Amino acid sequence: MSRIAVVTGASSGIGKATAALLAEHGYQVIGTSRNPDTIPADARVAGVEYRALDLTDKASIDSFRTGLDRVDVLVNNAGESQAGPLTDLPDTAIDRLFQLNVLGPIALTRALLPGMRERGYGRVVMVGSMLASFPMPYRSSYAATKAALRNFATAARFEESPFGVWLTTVEPGQTNTGLWERRTRYLTENSVHTTDFTTFMEILDAKQTKGIAPEKVAALIRTAIEADRPRSLYAIGNNAPLMFTARRLLPRTIMERLIARTHGISR
Ligand SMILES: NC(=O)c1ccc[n+]([C@@H]2O[C@H](COP(=O)([O-])OP(=O)(O)OC[C@H]3O[C@@H](n4cnc5c(N)ncnc54)[C@H](OP(=O)(O)O)[C@@H]3O)[C@@H](O)[C@H]2O)c1
């Protein structure tokens, strides 16, 4: 019997590549989009069943989860990328980001965990971001959501792993999905941060176009799913092995300065 996998945000980027890879390897894949009907025919993956899910809408989450029978694998991939100085972010933008990147995926995870536990098998992959491990200026809200998602998983894996259910986090670095074009950005008029924010975003956007292919992240997500005992954290892109080693060896303040400097901010 093939495993049933739900991949949220399967209409593009990392979610689409993951849905395609899992379908290719024999999983029955349910991919989500806010508007599945609008996914162009050439962007659909053969073998993936598309269903509607808006993680900012509690009714949509309820309706999606009640329509699910068995789920063996959940890939919490859908997300929004957001940038802006902390003081310039509107409350509504922060609320939406936490709903989409944290509260929605956690509601879905909580709904599916008991069934996985009863069946003695489950895999939940949080698609985080290396920004959670290496926070950068002007990405406070986004880094905070990804750190929150990772910590839900890291803590709960101790609760669920005795039942064969493993929660894990995959942190991609810059991935070339076109996400930078969809990133929401906030800067108030005459903000004191205008110069640094503008420089930072130009460098960030340029780096993202040179990011790794989403298929590489999808391959790591599959590795995490298929491990007997998935690790709590996987990372790929942005020289991940070097970055995590440097973080262990260097004082935190030096690491923070290095990251800011590589994005045009020197203080
Ligand atoms: N690209 C990167 O450099 C990078 C780096 C680190 C981490 N990540 C993370 O990786 C994940 C995927 O990123 P990506 O670059 O592949 O992004 P993407 O191409 O923009 O895909 C985002 C997906 O999220 C879905 N989505 C957006 N709003 C939603 C909502 N309100 N409810 C449910 N689904 C929604 C979109 O589907 P519809 O529009 O069809 O609804 C889309 O399929 C995100 O969590 C992102 O934070 C990306």
Side-chain angles (χ1 to χ4, degrees):
M1 192 168 51
S2 59
R3 303 268 189 217
I4 300 179
V6 167
V7 180
T8 67
S11 61
S12 63
I14 294 168
K16 181 182 168 194
T18 303
L21 187 67
L22 294 181
E24 192 187 317
H25 285 85
Y27 291 79
Q28 280 184 58
V29 181
I30 298 168
T32 79
S33 160
R34 280 165 295 180
N35 301 296
D37 296 343
T38 61
I39 305 174
D42 59 1
R44 286 170 181 272
V45 175
V48 174
E49 181 196 341
Y50 293 93
R51 295 195 194 173
L53 173 66
D54 183 342
L55 287 160
T56 63
D57 176 356
K58 290 191 173 110
S60 171
I61 298 172
D62 279 348
S63 145
F64 175 71
R65 74 185 207 199
T66 51
L68 293 170
D69 185 14
R70 190 186 103 216
V71 174
D72 304 306
V73 175
L74 170 63
V75 182
N76 281 310
N77 162 76
E80 173 184 326
S81 180
Q82 187 176 91
L86 179 59
T87 50
D88 297 20
L89 294 169
D91 290 347
T92 50
I94 298 178
D95 288 355
R96 183 188 66 241
L97 196 73
F98 271 82
Q99 184 59 47
L100 169 52
N101 288 9
V102 185
L103 301 177
I106 292 306
L108 193 55
T109 302
R110 279 160 48 79
L112 298 181
L113 280 176
M116 292 178 176
R117 196 191 302 139
E118 273 163 33
R119 291 183 293 274
Y121 177 89
R123 296 287 185 269
V124 178
V125 179
M126 308 299 189
V127 179
S129 164
M130 274 179 69
L131 273 168
S133 292
F134 304 93
M136 290 200 286
Y138 307 124
R139 306 302 310 278
S140 60
S141 54
Y142 179 76
T145 61
K146 293 299 187 181
L149 194 61
R150 183 184 68 195
N151 280 346
F152 266 112
T154 306
R157 64 189 263 116
F158 288 102
E159 301 162 11
E160 300 300 335
S161 56
F163 303 98
V165 178
W166 291 86
L167 294 96
T168 188
T169 302
V170 172
E171 291 192 342
Q174 301 275 16
T175 309
N176 192 5
T177 62
L179 181 67
W180 65 277
E181 289 169 316
R182 294 182 283 284
R183 181 179 293 130
T184 48
R185 305 158 194 245
Y186 299 91
L187 185 70
T188 52
E189 216 181 324
N190 303 322
S191 170
V192 294
H193 296 289
T194 302
T195 307
D196 275 353
F197 178 69
T198 308
T199 306
F200 175 86
M201 291 311 294
E202 276 169 11
I203 294 174
L204 187 76
D205 290 347
K207 281 180 189 281
Q208 193 147 34
T209 59
K210 297 187 186 110
I212 57 171
E215 287 73 17
K216 289 199 168 169
V217 183
L220 186 62
I221 291 171
R222 181 174 162 241
T223 298
I225 291 169
E226 297 191 345
D228 286 339
R229 298 169 63 87
R231 302 201 311 248
S232 65
L233 182 66
Y234 296 79
I236 188 166
N238 282 25
N239 291 321
L242 181 67
M243 291 289 285
F244 280 89
T245 304
R247 196 178 70 152
R248 275 198 296 278
L249 299 177
L250 295 176
R252 189 170 285 264
T253 45
I254 298 208
M255 202 63 203
E256 283 164 5
R257 271 196 208 136
L258 278 176
I259 292 168
R261 276 197 193 155
T262 55
H263 290 81
I265 300 172
S266 50
R267 294 202 183 98

